[in-house]
């Protein structure tokens, strides 16, 4: 347990998301919804845009989520509200980016740059180093986004991808010592520019509150699962209600419930089979990001499936199946840190849950829409069934003799 978590435990206080943080998370609802709609067409271009924009939106969200986590009651409300406005601009600009509108693309890039610079500013003001996510306070990945303000597609998208890649590079390669040296170099430059030679406060290492961060990450997963329900409801309001729709809606709801159960009843921070502190934050946060990306893609696939009740287009079938396979692949990565029985669990659960959806995607062209979604429900329920059977076999052996 880190120092901040220990302090809360010692005081007997359970810290939960504040009203400001919940308000901030509502922006994620709009952003995820707009980005997920990109996948309704199911093309390669839309998939690339989805990946770029989801990573950018999640990065902007996590920068201020971590800031609120560390700052607590000292969070600057006006700064968070400014970041919220910029993220709302990003969400509103998504359809324009998809349509190739230069004005909306520039607005999205500018809003993203402002969010990242605001995050960098608050961390420098706090004189703290966030070693768990250094990209939140280093602006290397922002430079390509600034350059993209004068670029046109497709160069604009390549610059955005370069910015995301640089952020990932910083996250996995920059050490705490490197960040300290960067802050000290910045302080030396500031002292040279200033006529006053005032002493600056020493830089300290920020220790996130693990329990509070887990709650915020879980809330984001809930938002994404809720978007799946919203996608089906929106599509169902525009089609004729018949037996196929009833069967699909039931299957879609049960699929999302099964995913909720895996993520929260058998997981941590919304990631199935992840346990508290089993992974460092530098590994757990990207895992959370990619898993949410798969869930949002699945939500878009369910919405598109509701519009094609007889037979799924190939792109939609692959979107549904591949996103579920990706979800279970990331689940397997999280389960690697589980003690004991991991190899058997990976072979019995993760392997079939990853391979069966891909087989359905590749050879299920003749299947109806409802049949495909119900097959995915069966795949998603298998981990729970397997765990129940294994617990049932282990219970008699563990039962004490009378």
């Amino acid at each position: 347990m880190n120092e901040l978590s220990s302090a809360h435990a010692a005081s007997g206080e359970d810290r939960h998301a504040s009203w400001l943080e919940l308000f901030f998370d509502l922006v994620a609802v709009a952003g995820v919804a707009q980005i997920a709609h990109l996948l309704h067409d199911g093309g390669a271009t839309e998939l690339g845009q989805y990946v770029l924009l989801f990573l950018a939106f999640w990065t902007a969200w996590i920068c201020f989520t971590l800031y609120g986590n560390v700052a607590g009651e000292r969070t600057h409300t006006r700064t968070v509200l400014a970041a919220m406005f910029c993220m709302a601009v990003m969400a509103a600009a998504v359809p324009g980016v998809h349509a190739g509108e230069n004005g909306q693309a520039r607005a999205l890039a500018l809003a993203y740059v402002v969010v990242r610079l605001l995050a960098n500013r608050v961390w420098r003001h706090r004189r703290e180093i966030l070693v768990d996510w250094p990209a939140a306070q280093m602006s290397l990945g922002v430079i390509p986004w600034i350059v993209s303000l004068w670029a046109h597609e497709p160069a604009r998208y390549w610059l955005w991808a370069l910015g995301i890649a640089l952020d990932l590079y910083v996250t996995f390669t920059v050490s705490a010592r490197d960040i300290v040296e960067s802050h000290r170099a910045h302080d030396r430059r500031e002292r040279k520019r200033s006529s006053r030679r005032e002493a600056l406060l020493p830089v300290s290492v920020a220790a996130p509150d693990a329990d509070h961060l887990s709650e915020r990450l879980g809330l984001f997963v809930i938002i994404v699962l809720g978007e799946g329900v919203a996608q089906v409801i929106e599509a169902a309001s525009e089609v004729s209600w018949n037996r196929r729709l009833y069967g699909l809606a039931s299957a879609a709801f049960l699929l999302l419930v099964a995913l909720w159960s895996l993520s929260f009843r058998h997981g941590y921070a919304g990631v199935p089979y992840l346990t508290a502190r089993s992974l460092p934050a530098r590994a757990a946060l990207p895992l959370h990001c990619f898993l949410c990306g798969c869930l949002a893609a699945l939500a878009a696939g369910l919405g598109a499936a509701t519009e094609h009740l007889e037979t799924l287009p190939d792109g939609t079938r692959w979107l549904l199946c591949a996103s579920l396979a990706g979800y279970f692949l990331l689940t397997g990565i999280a389960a690697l840190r589980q003690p004991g029985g991991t190899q058997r669990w990976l072979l019995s659960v993760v392997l079939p849950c990853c391979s069966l959806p891909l087989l359905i995607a590749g050879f299920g062209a003749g299947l109806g829409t409802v049949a495909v979604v119900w097959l995915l429900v069966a795949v998603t329920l298998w981990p729970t069934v397997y765990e129940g059977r294994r617990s049932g076999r282990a219970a008699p052996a563990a039962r004490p003799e009378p």
Side-chain angles (χ1 to χ4, degrees):
M1 182 178 291
N2 55 53
E3 295 176 2
L4 209 57
S5 298
S6 300
H8 282 281
S11 63
E13 297 179 359
D14 290 329
R15 182 183 170 195
H16 297 287
S18 67
W19 294 118
L20 177 63
E21 289 172 322
L22 293 172
F23 189 20
F24 183 77
D25 287 343
L26 284 176
V27 182
V29 177
V32 170
Q34 292 285 68
I35 296 167
H37 275 89
L38 291 175
L39 294 173
H40 275 220
D41 294 336
T45 300
E46 289 77 15
L47 179 60
Q49 290 177 346
Y50 168 80
V51 172
L52 277 177
L53 295 179
F54 186 89
L55 288 172
F57 198 89
W58 186 90
T59 299
W61 176 81
I62 198 63
C63 285
F64 275 89
T65 295
L66 289 168
Y67 165 60
N69 174 272
V70 173
E73 295 181 355
R74 297 184 179 181
T75 300
H76 291 175
T77 302
R78 286 179 295 181
T79 303
V80 176
L81 292 176
M84 287 172 56
F85 177 79
C86 291
M87 291 178 66
V89 172
M90 291 173 61
V94 169
V97 172
H98 177 51
E101 297 289 341
N102 287 327
Q104 282 89 328
R106 289 194 181 98
L108 187 146
L110 180 60
Y112 178 78
V113 169
V114 173
V115 169
R116 294 296 305 277
L117 294 180
L118 282 173
N120 179 276
R121 180 177 177 272
V122 295
W123 285 109
R124 288 201 177 274
H125 177 74
R126 289 186 60 82
R127 307 290 299 163
E128 289 180 319
I129 298 171
L130 187 66
V131 296
D132 290 326
W133 195 255
Q137 56 195 124
M138 300 186 73
S139 303
L140 179 63
V142 182
I143 296 174
W145 287 80
I146 296 175
V147 176
S148 75
L149 295 173
W150 293 273
H152 298 275
E153 58 180 29
R156 175 190 299 123
Y157 302 135
W158 288 109
L159 287 168
W160 292 357
L162 176 61
I164 297 295
L166 288 174
D167 280 333
L168 292 175
Y169 172 80
V170 166
T171 297
F172 291 113
T173 62
V174 175
S175 65
R177 179 179 298 178
D178 294 331
I179 305 176
V180 170
E181 290 300 324
S182 173
H183 275 263
R184 289 176 177 172
H186 179 268
D187 291 346
R188 288 192 293 267
R189 291 193 298 269
E190 289 297 317
R191 282 196 294 266
K192 289 180 180 179
R193 293 194 191 102
S194 177
S195 58
R196 296 175 299 172
R197 296 295 190 264
E198 69 269 13
L200 294 173
L201 294 175
V203 176
S204 61
V205 175
D209 184 337
D211 294 332
H212 175 261
L213 181 58
S214 170
E215 181 184 21
R216 295 296 305 281
L217 296 176
L219 285 173
F220 195 90
V221 175
I222 285 290
I223 287 172
V224 176
L225 289 173
E227 177 56 25
V229 178
Q231 291 265 354
V232 175
I233 291 173
E234 180 181 355
S237 65
E238 299 177 358
V239 299
S240 299
W241 286 30
N242 51 38
R243 290 184 179 180
R244 285 195 180 97
L245 178 62
Y246 302 149
L248 177 65
S250 301
F253 183 74
L254 185 56
L255 177 62
L256 294 171
V257 169
L259 292 171
W260 163 81
S261 178
L262 287 175
S263 294
F264 292 96
R265 299 179 68 183
H266 303 280
Y268 175 78
V271 180
Y273 301 102
L274 181 69
T275 56
R277 302 169 187 86
S278 61
L279 285 175
R282 288 201 191 197
L285 289 177
L287 187 65
H288 174 272
C289 173
F290 299 144
L291 184 135
C292 287
C294 290
L295 287 177
L298 181 69
L302 290 174
T306 310
E307 299 171 358
H308 301 88
L309 290 174
E310 294 187 6
T311 304
L312 286 174
D314 290 343
T316 303
R317 188 177 67 255
W318 272 102
L319 176 63
L320 277 170
C321 297
S323 57
L324 188 63
Y327 173 88
F328 280 109
L329 176 62
L330 294 166
T331 297
I333 294 174
L336 289 175
R337 300 303 294 265
Q338 290 279 12
T342 301
Q343 183 176 2
R344 182 178 179 182
W345 191 87
L346 291 174
L347 291 175
S348 302
V349 175
V350 175
L351 181 60
C353 288
C354 289
S355 57
L356 288 176
L358 296 179
L359 290 175
I360 296 171
F363 302 99
L367 295 174
T369 299
V370 178
V372 169
V373 179
W374 274 108
L375 286 173
L376 297 183
V377 171
V379 170
T380 309
L381 290 175
W382 169 241
T384 304
V385 173
Y386 176 83
E387 288 289 342
R389 292 178 60 186
R390 191 174 67 170
S391 299
R393 288 194 300 266
R399 189 178 300 153
E401 292 295 332

